[in-house]
Amino acid sequence: GAVVSQHPSRVICKSGTSVKIECRSLDFQATTMFWYRQFPKKSLMLMATSNEGSKATYEQGVEKDKFLINHASLTLSTLTVTSAHPEDSSFYICSARRGQQIFPSTDTQYFGPGTRLTVL
Amino acid sequence: QKEVEQDPGPLSVPEGAIVSLNCTYSNSAFQYFMWYRQYSRKGPELLMYTYSSGNKEDGRFTAQVDKSSKYISLFIRDSQPSDSATYLCAIRRGGAGSYQLTFGKGTKLSVIP
């Protein structure tokens, strides 16, 4: 299968602190990873696309200085929420693209289990 | 008009019923279609992946795509309480470099024992 892990699964922090969330593809290499945010009873909102070895591409309205993304290797991407505030409290989910060179039609994303961030 | 429309439900059915979940999309550039299942407080899990019109079956799940109507469906046969979750349709454009997914809002399903 295609397994993606996230760490931590849950974090509670004080306002003003920074929080780092890790996303790892465990059994495949992911040149592209995605970071989503999900509010209660809402669908996934794409925040940014992370490409290994290059700068992330942020969606409109997402502050890149607030949400720092580093995709340092083919199996690891990190999201750092800097100077977190209560409004940053949310469920953050990453996904990793598993591309198929021979069969591009099976190119799809596999999701991590999510990280619940609570900022006090 | 949103790119993907999905009725959020909630949908409640008795155990053993056939469940039909649907999405419509507006842009014919979308070529790949997925269904994800998301349990509460968990990440989405890929259930089905299709890229052509017609049916694709996997166990109790059948994904159906009608590109002419821009309509996709997921059928669950012999539904079980463990199927209770939110089901998200997701679509992707064709062509190289088109990796982003566009998600529906998700339909919350409850299967009652």
Side-chain angles (χ1 to χ4, degrees), chain B:
Chain B
Q1 182 184 11
K2 292 186 177 179
E3 288 193 302
V4 183
E5 298 276 4
Q6 183 177 10
D7 186 343
L11 180 62
S12 184
V13 301
E15 184 175 354
I18 296 175
V19 176
S20 173
L21 304 167
N22 310 292
C23 287
T24 58
Y25 62 97
S26 58
N27 193 330
S28 59
F30 292 119
Q31 297 292 320
Y32 305 109
F33 310 93
M34 286 136 275
W35 285 95
Y36 287 86
R37 176 175 62 195
Q38 186 176 23
Y39 291 111
S40 181
R41 299 174 183 269
K42 300 290 184 182
E45 169 195 9
L46 180 66
L47 280 179
M48 301 288 283
Y49 183 108
T50 58
Y51 55 89
S52 59
S53 284
N55 294 348
K56 180 178 180 180
E57 192 173 314
D58 184 359
R60 296 185 295 111
F61 299 92
T62 299
Q64 189 175 79
V65 175
D66 182 345
K67 287 188 176 181
S68 62
S69 301
K70 299 187 181 65
Y71 192 85
I72 61 174
S73 301
L74 177 71
F75 298 97
I76 306 174
R77 289 186 301 281
D78 188 25
S79 56
Q80 303 294 309
S82 59
D83 296 327
S84 298
T86 296
Y87 290 80
L88 297 148
C89 64
I91 55 178
R92 181 169 73 85
R93 296 173 186 268
S98 302
Y99 307 132
Q100 289 185 0
L101 297 179
T102 300
F103 286 91
K105 285 187 175 182
T107 300
K108 185 172 183 179
L109 170 68
S110 296
V111 180
I112 311 301

Side-chain angles (χ1 to χ4, degrees), chain A residues 49-96:
Chain A
T49 302
S50 166
N51 292 296
E52 186 266 337
S54 63
K55 289 183 179 180
T57 302
Y58 290 82
E59 294 300 300
Q60 191 173 8
V62 179
E63 299 175 60
K64 55 184 171 184
D65 294 330
K66 172 83 173 169
F67 299 99
L68 300 178
I69 292 172
N70 187 321
H71 194 157
S73 76
L74 288 172
T75 59
L76 173 65
S77 176
T78 61
L79 168 69
T80 301
V81 183
T82 62
S83 187
H85 287 93
E87 58 265 29
D88 298 324
S89 298
S90 190
F91 193 50
Y92 292 88
I93 309 176
C94 73
S95 72

Side-chain angles (χ1 to χ4, degrees), chain A:
Chain A
V3 182
V4 177
S5 70
Q6 261 183 263
H7 178 79
S9 58
R10 189 176 186 125
V11 58
I12 301 173
C13 69
K14 292 183 179 180
S15 185
T17 60
S18 294
V19 174
K20 179 185 282 189
I21 302 170
E22 292 187 349
C23 177
R24 294 180 185 273
S25 55
L26 298 184
D27 53 357
F28 66 99
Q29 293 184 331
T31 54
T32 308
M33 289 185 172
F34 302 86
W35 286 96
Y36 295 84
R37 187 172 178 177
Q38 188 174 34
F39 293 100
K41 299 183 180 181
K42 299 291 184 182
S43 191
L44 299 163
M45 183 189 79
L46 179 65
M47 297 175 65
T49 302
S50 166
N51 292 296
E52 186 266 337
S54 63
K55 289 183 179 180
T57 302
Y58 290 82
E59 294 300 300
Q60 191 173 8
V62 179
E63 299 175 60
K64 55 184 171 184
D65 294 330
K66 172 83 173 169
F67 299 99
L68 300 178
I69 292 172
N70 187 321
H71 194 157
S73 76
L74 288 172
T75 59
L76 173 65
S77 176
T78 61
L79 168 69
T80 301
V81 183
T82 62
S83 187
H85 287 93
E87 58 265 29
D88 298 324
S89 298
S90 190
F91 193 50
Y92 292 88
I93 309 176
C94 73
S95 72
R97 172 190 160 239
R98 185 178 190 177
Q100 298 289 335
Q101 296 298 318
I102 298 176
F103 301 104
S105 60
T106 59
D107 192 319
T108 190
Q109 295 178 31
Y110 294 88
F111 286 82
T115 296
R116 183 158 302 282
L117 170 64
T118 302
V119 185
L120 302 176

